Amino acid sequence: MTTNTTDTTPHPTHTPHPAHTPNEPHAANTPSPTSTASTPPPTRTPPSGPASGERLRRWRLVLGGDSAESTGCTLTGRDAAMDGALTALYGDGGKQGGRGRNSRAAGLGASAPSVARWLGDIRTYFPSSVVQVMQRDAIDRLGLAALLLEPEMLEAVEADVHLVGTLLSLNKAMPETTKETARAVVRKVVEDLEKRLAARTRATLTGALDRSAKIDRPRHHDIDWDRTIRANLKNYLPEYGTVVPERLIGYGRAARSVKKDVILCIDQSGSMAASIVYASVFGAVLASMRTLRTRLVVFDTAVVDLTDQLDDPVDVLFGTQLGGGTDINRALSYCQSRITRPADTVVVLISDLYEGGIRNEMLKRVAAMKASGVQFVTLLALSDEGAPAYDRDHAAALGALGAPAFACTPDLFPEVMAAAIEKRPLPVPDTDAHQ
């Protein structure tokens, strides 16, 4: 028997081997330069089977139009309807171009009936989260904002925070026939947010208020054992291996008369739309707590105090006016004038920090408030999307004053407020999100 070994070194003296099938034996395993050059590359065979068919179908839906003809996949029935809805938005009918050179649909245009049908189609074929993304893209790409001024359009859309922001930006142009429908859409979103956020916010802040009222004669389940042990280490009895606590330190139950003051100061610029929606909901929740005194201030180049509308966040939202300039210094000046108990006050500035007013005065006001005992919190955004574009120089300057600027999700906001009330370090989610 002859053992066949593999030789990877080319031998020019070898003659080329004839072509062979996989079942024919090799005379040698040594490649030849001549045979390598004359043999065409292998042809790839497209994968087959159910898995590959599903893959081609998905690529066909993603690519759309002529750009997907090489897939060899023909869409029928529900898939064809889905492709039509996507092409109407992302094909040549959209401002950005996109899914194919020869779109079957010419976009949504300005036809209210076609838009209504399209809105119904996407709600039929796609999950709610995808519908919301497609609606936002339609508003940006196809100029559907004007159509949202029609009641039948508002009734057809999937309501979410971003839609509320769009409606608020159209508030002044909205006809009277549409305003009631718009308020109903906004109220649905607000009520859903309250259900999601209110209970946890109240529980978290009630605990923080209880812990902020420290007493020396607590009930057993209110004892702060860490602080109690530290305060009584001198009473350690080595023979018993224990500490005899002469003085108990614990948390008192915050009485109704014990209050913290919270001032929410919100930038009305267009990029802060989602933050305004969430802040209005949180403002209403905080205002419902008897142990807190909450003030809500919105600003652009002017300052508006909406505290008297906090019992209904929908009224707060329709009292805002998105857009315009920004004068943070003027807004903080107003907030500073309303502070009567600095050591028991939390000021929350929600802004992208693009200051149109006097920068140095703004920073001086923040420094003065902190020096007086105010807990100052700077949020670049209060939303699930993270921080928009913001002024990094101002963020760094505030961080140097001990007021780090960071984006905050609605789920984290109760923890941020609890930390501010207890005067402990804020739970900044990402050290790169500020300065």
Side-chain angles (χ1 to χ4, degrees):
M1 176 180 294
T2 302
T3 302
N4 202 21
T5 59
T6 301
D7 183 2
T8 59
T9 304
H11 297 278
T13 57
H14 287 186
T15 56
H17 298 290
H20 58 271
T21 64
N23 294 325
E24 295 175 338
H26 286 276
N29 292 329
T30 305
S32 167
T34 305
S35 63
T36 302
S38 61
T39 304
T43 303
R44 284 196 170 191
T45 303
S48 59
S52 63
E54 175 63 16
R55 189 180 303 116
L56 288 175
R57 168 185 169 272
R58 289 175 177 270
W59 273 115
R60 175 61 183 83
L61 286 169
V62 169
L63 296 173
D66 288 351
S67 61
E69 287 181 355
S70 61
T71 63
C73 180
T74 302
L75 300 179
T76 59
R78 183 184 180 89
D79 288 345
M82 292 172 63
D83 187 56
L86 291 167
T87 302
L89 176 57
Y90 300 110
D92 289 345
K95 292 181 180 179
Q96 308 297 325
R99 296 183 71 248
R101 294 187 300 274
N102 298 323
S103 301
R104 287 191 303 275
L108 301 179
S111 168
S114 67
V115 174
R117 286 193 297 272
W118 181 80
L119 289 170
D121 286 345
I122 64 175
R123 293 175 73 172
T124 299
Y125 301 127
F126 301 99
S128 177
S129 58
V130 176
V131 169
Q132 293 172 6
V133 172
M134 293 180 72
Q135 286 179 171
R136 294 202 295 273
D137 287 348
I139 291 170
D140 293 338
R141 295 167 61 91
L142 304 178
L144 295 188
L147 290 176
L148 292 179
L149 302 181
E150 301 182 19
E152 59 270 23
M153 290 298 100
L154 288 179
E155 293 172 355
V157 295
E158 185 83 15
D160 68 345
V161 170
H162 298 280
L163 178 63
V164 171
T166 301
L167 293 177
L168 296 180
S169 68
L170 298 171
N171 185 24
K172 301 303 179 183
M174 194 175 294
E176 291 298 325
T177 54
T178 306
K179 285 189 174 180
E180 284 306 312
T181 306
R183 288 183 71 90
V185 171
V186 173
R187 186 170 298 283
K188 179 181 182 301
V189 174
V190 167
E191 289 176 351
D192 288 345
L193 291 177
E194 284 185 310
K195 289 177 184 177
R196 167 188 159 192
L197 302 170
R200 180 167 173 266
T201 300
R202 291 192 184 97
T204 301
L205 297 190
T206 297
L209 289 164
D210 287 345
R211 290 188 293 273
S212 68
K214 295 181 174 60
I215 60 174
D216 291 332
R217 298 184 65 185
R219 291 175 290 185
H220 183 269
H221 57 277
D222 290 328
I223 296 173
D224 183 342
W225 287 108
D226 287 340
R227 296 181 72 240
T228 295
I229 291 171
R230 285 197 298 270
N232 291 277
L233 285 176
K234 61 182 179 180
N235 300 322
Y236 178 69
L237 300 179
E239 62 272 25
Y240 294 103
T242 189
V243 171
V244 177
E246 290 182 348
R247 183 168 67 94
L248 297 177
I249 301 174
Y251 307 121
R253 294 292 175 180
R256 290 186 178 182
S257 59
V258 177
K259 292 184 179 180
K260 294 283 185 179
D261 295 337
V262 176
I263 302 177
L264 300 177
C265 186
I266 311 171
D267 188 342
Q268 289 188 113
S269 60
S271 63
M272 306 301 294
S275 297
I276 292 175
V277 176
Y278 282 114
S280 299
V281 172
F282 278 118
V285 173
L286 299 182
S288 70
M289 299 178 64
R290 296 183 180 181
T291 49
L292 292 175
R293 183 164 55 210
T294 304
R295 183 177 295 275
L296 181 66
V297 176
V298 297
F299 68 93
D300 41 33
T301 53
V303 180
V304 180
D305 193 326
L306 298 177
T307 303
D308 59 348
Q309 299 178 29
L310 273 175
D311 59 330
D312 188 348
V314 176
D315 287 341
V316 170
L317 290 172
F318 278 95
T320 62
Q321 182 173 344
L322 292 177
T326 307
D327 193 337
I328 303 174
N329 178 55
R330 175 177 290 187
L332 292 182
S333 174
Y334 177 83
C335 294
Q336 191 176 21
S337 69
R338 296 299 183 270
I339 296 174
T340 57
R341 302 185 304 158
D344 294 318
T345 299
V346 178
V347 174
V348 182
L349 172 65
I350 305 175
S351 173
D352 55 17
L353 300 180
Y354 284 112
E355 171 64 318
I358 307 173
R359 176 184 187 273
N360 291 337
E361 288 298 315
M362 175 191 75
L363 296 175
K364 286 180 181 178
R365 291 190 189 282
V366 175
M369 282 189 272
K370 287 190 64 64
S372 68
V374 172
Q375 295 298 109
F376 196 92
V377 180
T378 310
L379 301 181
L380 301 170
L382 179 56
S383 68
D384 289 309
E385 282 73 37
Y390 64 93
D391 191 306
R392 294 181 179 274
D393 290 338
H394 287 165
L398 288 170
L401 295 175
F406 58 95
C408 178
T409 64
D411 289 333
L412 181 63
F413 184 74
E415 299 297 334
V416 170
M417 291 300 301
I421 287 173
E422 295 181 61
K423 299 184 178 182
R424 53 184 171 84
L426 301 178
V428 180
D430 183 356
T431 55
D432 294 328
H434 64 283
Q435 300 188 18

